[in-house]
Amino acid sequence: MSANDLNSNLNSNLNSNLQAASMLRAEEILAALDGDQREVALATSGPVCVIAGAGTGKTRAITHRIAYACAIGVMNPQKVLALTFTSRAAGEMRTRLRGLGVPNVSARTFHSAALRQLIYFWPTVFGGRVPNLLTTKSRFITEAVSRSGLGDSLPISSREFLREISSKIEWAKVSMISPEDYVTETKGRAERTRITAGQVAQVYSAYQSLMRQEHAIDFEDVLLLTTAMVEQDRDVRERVHDQYRFFTIDEYQDISPLQQRLINAWLGNRKEICVVGDPAQTIYSFAGATPLFLTGFARRFPDAQVIRLTTGYRSTPEIIFTANSILRVGEMGQETVALNEHGLMPDLFPYTDEASEIQGVAAKIENLISEGVAPHDIAVLARTNAQLTSLARGCESLGLPYQVRDNERFFERSDIRDFLKLVRQASVIPAQGVTWLQELETIAAPYITSATNDGISALVHLAREFDADTSFSPKTLRSYLREVEDRVEQNNPPVMPVVTLSTLHAAKGLEWDFVFLIGVSEGLFPSDENSIDEERRLFYVGVTRAKRHVSLSYRQKPSPFLAEAGIL
């Protein structure tokens, strides 16, 4: 046999072995799915639309779809862009995809993906220095109010008021409405507000002028500029189209008109797109989100495969029955079928006022913890931020460990930065005779206290989870740092060993064993009669955060939602 024949045979055998290994891995990926999820994974070519009820395993389905398509050679993982709305969700997708053997997939938030492109192409497309990115609008909004001449008539010292103006400007920008058109475009828009449309337009105009003066952009500008860049610059468009050929979009019911326009620019005339969402979880209409792109997907792509996930894995049948009752009232989305073992029906507790409600809920949490329930498995959800302040005081009075879920960047805390700096130093010269986890615990020991909000404990707990995970390899401090630094980039902090206090909006996408939903009272929930359907969807989201049990409470008069859902 000649050398060429020998090489040919070796290459043929190698290719056969590689193909066999890929097919084996592909079958293993499919084996972890139920029938509906498997249908999603097998739909390897777009367009694909997945309607997924709460707790039905949508993230599992779409990540396994990507992994399966890569395993059988339909997708190049380096050409895939998976998009979602929060850093935590993007980090979760990256972790799952890495565990499925496809670490090279880009899983990012819309803003992160757009910002990377904008910074990369800025010198050649726009020229000059990249503008400063505003991470918060409050200072610019305050100055814009003053410049607009409305400083004496508007309560600019109120953080809530500044947040309201900021929200209106964000809505306008993602809806692609200019300051000049704001009054006309908002006529007939039903909302409770403390500022007129004309006043918003004045502040909006001053804000835009100030941004130009300060050479700054906000996150909405990132989307606007990236969209314009891809649409108008042929070289940029061709390079972006070559980089990303397969798109997966999570939480598609929350897409704004501007985000959809950016998706269109990225996609071009191709059809390799998979979207997943739940119309019943559309709770960000005030920020420009609309489910119309999800519900109208099949009209835009008549050849689309539409797949529904209906098996509920998160919650007990009792919780799912309550959630389905909410849906039937509003006829809003996908009902789910319970798979888990039965539990208790949702509890309902009446109180005379806010103080007695907070006291009662805090006492129930104290009882759960005394019975052995981990604090991080408990959450208290409220309709407004103001309620969280009272909740925090109630927890403090009983010494309950808690954290208010807000926009604080976990990895920017000084104690977290100092701790990770020591871990980086230790990873350069590994200690002899101890495991990497023991070394990490030794570094952490001086930081760990009895404080109620201990981030170092959360990082150590994360390390223990990694150590027990067979896919975490090699088991070293350096590998741990890579995982943590990925979370830093995605702003995806570890779970804190405390009770979570959160607004309903901030709780979306999360889950706990025990959920207390407070303030389900007439006049408070729904808080806006002009947006009754959205408020009902918010109620649905709150109930479906619970895995084992949900407890509801109200003050004086119950919310009409309770009777609608058959709870009262």
Side-chain angles (χ1 to χ4, degrees):
M1 181 180 290
S2 68
N4 287 338
D5 290 338
L6 180 61
N7 285 334
S8 177
N9 286 339
L10 288 173
N11 288 334
S12 177
N13 290 336
L14 178 61
N15 289 334
S16 296
N17 290 337
L18 289 174
Q19 289 175 359
S22 294
M23 292 309 298
L24 178 62
R25 186 163 66 87
E27 288 304 315
E28 291 174 346
I29 291 169
L30 292 179
L33 306 176
D34 70 18
D36 293 337
Q37 295 167 350
R38 185 185 179 95
E39 187 179 355
V40 173
L42 290 172
T44 54
S45 297
V48 177
C49 178
V50 182
I51 306 296
T56 56
K58 67 179 179 63
T59 305
R60 168 182 285 266
I62 59 175
T63 51
H64 279 66
R65 175 183 182 267
I66 293 170
Y68 177 75
C70 292
I72 64 174
V74 173
M75 289 185 191
N76 178 345
Q78 295 181 331
K79 302 289 186 180
V80 177
L81 181 58
L83 295 162
T84 188
F85 283 84
T86 68
S87 298
R88 185 201 62 79
E92 173 69 14
M93 289 180 70
R94 288 162 68 104
T95 299
R96 294 199 189 197
L97 288 165
R98 189 161 51 245
L100 290 168
V102 279
N104 298 327
V105 171
S106 293
R108 304 187 181 280
T109 65
F110 276 92
H111 292 104
S112 172
L115 183 61
R116 287 171 69 90
Q117 292 181 15
L118 189 64
I119 291 174
Y120 181 82
F121 289 112
W122 187 277
T124 55
V125 176
F126 300 99
R129 177 174 61 87
V130 178
N132 300 317
L133 178 64
L134 291 185
T135 57
T136 176
K137 293 183 174 69
S138 57
R139 182 174 69 84
F140 275 53
I141 294 291
T142 301
E143 177 62 23
V145 172
S146 298
R147 289 192 177 194
S148 66
L150 298 171
D152 294 334
S153 58
L154 298 177
I156 58 175
S157 60
S158 167
R159 291 178 61 185
E160 286 291 328
F161 184 73
L162 292 178
R163 188 180 295 119
E164 180 181 342
I165 297 179
S166 178
S167 177
K168 292 179 184 301
I169 291 176
E170 289 168 6
W171 172 84
K173 296 183 81 167
V174 300
S175 301
M176 294 178 287
I177 297 171
S178 67
E180 296 75 21
D181 296 331
Y182 185 86
V183 174
T184 301
E185 294 293 334
T186 55
K187 280 184 179 178
R189 188 175 183 229
E191 60 177 341
R192 184 180 298 176
T193 182
R194 292 174 290 177
I195 181 172
T196 68
Q199 290 173 324
V200 173
Q202 288 179 258
V203 176
Y204 182 11
S205 179
Y207 171 79
Q208 293 292 84
S209 176
L210 182 61
M211 296 273 282
R212 289 191 293 270
Q213 176 185 315
E214 297 292 329
H215 194 59
I217 56 175
D218 57 25
F219 284 111
E220 291 71 46
D221 290 326
V222 169
L223 300 181
L224 282 162
L225 291 169
T226 304
T227 300
M229 183 177 70
V230 177
E231 286 179 342
Q232 298 173 19
D233 191 296
R234 181 178 177 179
D235 180 61
V236 170
R237 182 169 60 255
E238 289 178 349
R239 292 173 68 180
V240 170
H241 283 184
D242 181 64
Q243 176 63 53
Y244 296 118
R245 299 183 180 181
F246 310 95
F247 295 85
T248 298
I249 304 172
D250 192 17
E251 303 287 2
Y252 198 61
Q253 77 280 347
D254 288 333
I255 292 291
S256 70
L258 176 56
Q259 287 165 332
Q260 183 60 54
R261 183 171 169 183
L262 177 57
I263 292 169
N264 294 343
W266 279 335
L267 186 64
N269 59 5
R270 300 168 296 178
K271 295 184 178 182
E272 291 303 325
I273 180 172
C274 172
V275 302
V276 58
D278 180 8
Q281 296 189 64
T282 304
I283 60 172
Y284 291 105
S285 295
F286 66 89
T290 172
L292 295 179
F293 299 115
L294 174 63
T295 57
F297 188 84
R299 288 192 295 274
R300 180 185 176 193
F301 298 102
D303 57 337
Q305 299 179 71
V306 179
I307 305 166
R308 298 180 182 273
L309 302 184
T310 60
T311 304
Y313 293 99
R314 175 186 299 154
S315 308
T316 64
E318 288 74 15
I319 293 171
I320 289 178
F321 175 80
T322 301
N324 286 341
S325 297
I326 297 169
L327 290 185
R328 282 196 295 268
V329 170
E331 298 181 354
M332 298 176 294
Q334 177 67 56
E335 291 189 3
T336 56
V337 178
L339 184 71
N340 297 333
E341 293 183 0
H342 283 277
L344 298 174
M345 288 296 294
D347 286 329
L348 180 63
F349 297 95
Y351 293 96
T352 56
D353 53 32
E354 182 183 51
S356 61
E357 182 180 32
I358 298 300
Q359 184 179 13
V361 170
K364 288 179 174 60
I365 293 173
E366 186 178 39
N367 288 337
L368 283 175
I369 294 175
S370 68
E371 293 169 1
V373 177
H376 63 259
D377 288 331
I378 305 171
V380 188
L381 309 182
R383 177 63 185 84
T384 67
N385 282 295
Q387 292 169 272
L388 300 185
T389 302
S390 300
L391 276 171
R393 286 197 297 265
C395 289
E396 288 170 0
S397 67
L398 291 177
L400 296 176
Y402 76 92
Q403 68 170 344
V404 177
R405 182 171 176 81
D406 55 21
N407 294 324
E408 178 192 16
R409 297 185 71 87
F410 174 86
F411 293 106
E412 292 180 2
R413 287 171 39 182
S414 59
D415 59 333
I416 301 299
R417 291 201 306 267
D418 292 344
F419 171 69
L420 292 179
K421 181 178 180 181
L422 292 176
V423 176
R424 289 187 187 97
Q425 292 170 352
S427 70
V428 176
I429 306 177
Q432 308 295 322
V434 298
T435 68
W436 76 275
L437 184 57
Q438 290 171 331
E439 187 175 4
L440 183 77
E441 290 172 335
T442 300
I443 298 170
Y447 289 90
I448 296 178
T449 68
S450 60
T452 59
N453 193 1
D454 195 347
I456 307 300
S457 292
L459 288 171
V460 172
H461 179 71
L462 180 68
R464 291 169 182 155
E465 289 184 337
F466 284 150
D467 196 54
D469 186 349
T470 56
S471 68
F472 176 70
S473 179
K475 296 186 185 298
T476 63
L477 276 181
R478 186 164 296 180
S479 296
Y480 171 75
L481 272 174
R482 280 199 296 267
E483 297 285 348
V484 171
E485 286 169 353
D486 183 57
R487 285 172 171 262
V488 173
E489 180 184 349
Q490 296 292 333
N491 189 28
N492 180 28
V495 174
M496 304 286 282
V498 296
V499 176
T500 298
L501 313 181
S502 174
T503 62
L504 287 159
H505 282 99
K508 186 171 179 292
L510 303 177
E511 59 183 38
W512 297 269
D513 283 351
F514 297 88
V515 168
F516 292 84
L517 184 49
I518 69 168
V520 191
S521 312
E522 185 177 81
L524 181 59
F525 197 16
S527 63
D528 188 350
E529 294 293 339
N530 293 317
S531 303
I532 193 70
D533 286 341
E534 180 118 344
E535 295 275 304
R536 189 178 286 112
R537 291 193 292 266
L538 194 58
F539 184 42
Y540 170 81
V541 167
V543 168
T544 55
R545 296 313 92 197
K547 294 192 286 185
R548 293 176 56 187
H549 188 58
V550 61
S551 179
L552 303 103
S553 57
Y554 65 91
R555 312 156 197 169
Q556 297 182 352
K557 292 185 178 182
S559 165
F561 289 162
L562 294 171
E564 289 181 357
I567 300 172
L568 188 63

